Amino acid sequence: MAQDQLGWRIDTGFARIPDALAAQARGIPVAVIGDVSHRLFSFPGGFRNYSSKANRVAGPALTVKVRPGDNLFLHKALDIALPGDVIVVAAGGALDNAIIGEMMGRYAVSRGIAGIVIDGAVRDIEGLAELPIPVYARGVTPNGPWKSGPGEIGYPIAAANVVVASGDLVVGDQDGIIVLPREDAAPVIEKALAHAATEAQWAQQIATRSWPRAWVDQAIAQGN
């Protein structure tokens, strides 16, 4: 389904990252994925996960662009998302009106949506805390949204200065969120798995007081 009127468009004809890749990514810390992707694809600080029941998420992005303070197209996205999708909403970073609250969060769970990321505000945080999926946002306000549009679904967005296209790999944990372009996600996750294994080795070396530290003095010497 595609609608072509700018500002009222909906596109569902995009390819998603494979389920198996999402399952792999779900077990890797976002910080590790960020390290191996040159720290260019993570959301900045200030985003919080308001669910206390779900600490991790990984899945294909379904992008939504809304007018700040308006959530009409987010409602539509909840209706058309596939199970396992992570809805990412460009809401201008605005904190004056919440884009989602408890009832929409409960509906998202009933639809099998894996998580929600709002570049804007949420409300009903006591209810969101009980959801079995993570809901990330910049902040909280009791003010509700408007529902008049315009908006878009399925087209590339800029959320928190990160470009997100529908089908890209979204990974979130308690540190925050990273989005990898769909065509690059598999090799990055392969590198992240290897780096996670290296960090596990470091942890063992720290425990046995055998972690190599000569590189610190070498780096300082090179700077002189």
Side-chain angles (χ1 to χ4, degrees):
M1 176 178 66
Q3 300 174 358
D4 295 328
Q5 185 178 354
L6 187 67
W8 296 89
R9 301 182 298 177
I10 298 173
D11 182 9
T12 59
F14 56 88
R16 290 169 165 82
I17 55 103
D19 292 342
L21 184 61
Q24 279 187 310
R26 200 172 296 118
I28 308 172
V30 167
V32 170
I33 300 172
D35 284 349
V36 300
S37 57
H38 308 290
R39 304 175 179 92
L40 292 175
F41 301 94
S42 298
F43 277 36
F47 282 81
R48 174 186 165 190
N49 173 17
Y50 286 91
S51 169
S52 63
K53 306 293 185 182
N55 295 326
R56 300 194 59 82
V57 67
L62 175 61
T63 60
V64 185
K65 183 177 180 63
V66 300
R67 178 171 61 91
D70 190 288
N71 73 353
L72 177 63
F73 273 73
L74 176 53
H75 273 281
K76 182 61 177 177
L78 295 178
D79 288 341
I80 65 176
L82 298 183
D85 282 351
V86 180
I87 295 180
V88 184
V89 185
L95 301 179
D96 296 330
N97 298 84
I99 300 301
I100 194 170
E102 180 181 1
M103 294 301 105
M104 292 177 71
R106 288 178 178 272
Y107 181 55
V109 172
S110 77
R111 296 274 301 136
I113 291 165
I116 300 169
V117 180
I118 307 288
D119 187 8
V122 297
R123 69 175 186 177
D124 305 330
I125 61 171
E126 288 188 16
L128 296 182
E130 298 302 314
L131 295 182
I133 63 171
V135 179
Y136 293 88
R138 282 188 184 267
V140 180
T141 177
N143 292 331
W146 309 105
K147 295 177 173 60
S148 56
E152 296 191 342
I153 300 171
Y155 290 84
I157 60 173
N161 297 321
V162 175
V163 175
V164 185
S166 285
D168 286 351
L169 174 60
V170 183
V171 188
D173 63 13
Q174 291 300 82
D175 280 346
I177 306 139
I178 191 167
V179 180
L180 299 176
R182 180 177 58 84
E183 61 273 18
D184 301 310
V188 171
I189 293 304
E190 184 177 355
K191 290 180 182 178
L193 286 168
H195 191 63
T198 298
E199 290 200 350
Q201 183 180 15
W202 290 346
Q204 185 176 16
Q205 291 172 339
I206 291 170
T208 58
R209 298 187 178 184
S210 61
W211 196 25
R213 306 298 295 158
W215 68 269
V216 178
D217 290 335
Q218 291 169 1
I220 292 173
Q222 290 173 1
N224 290 334

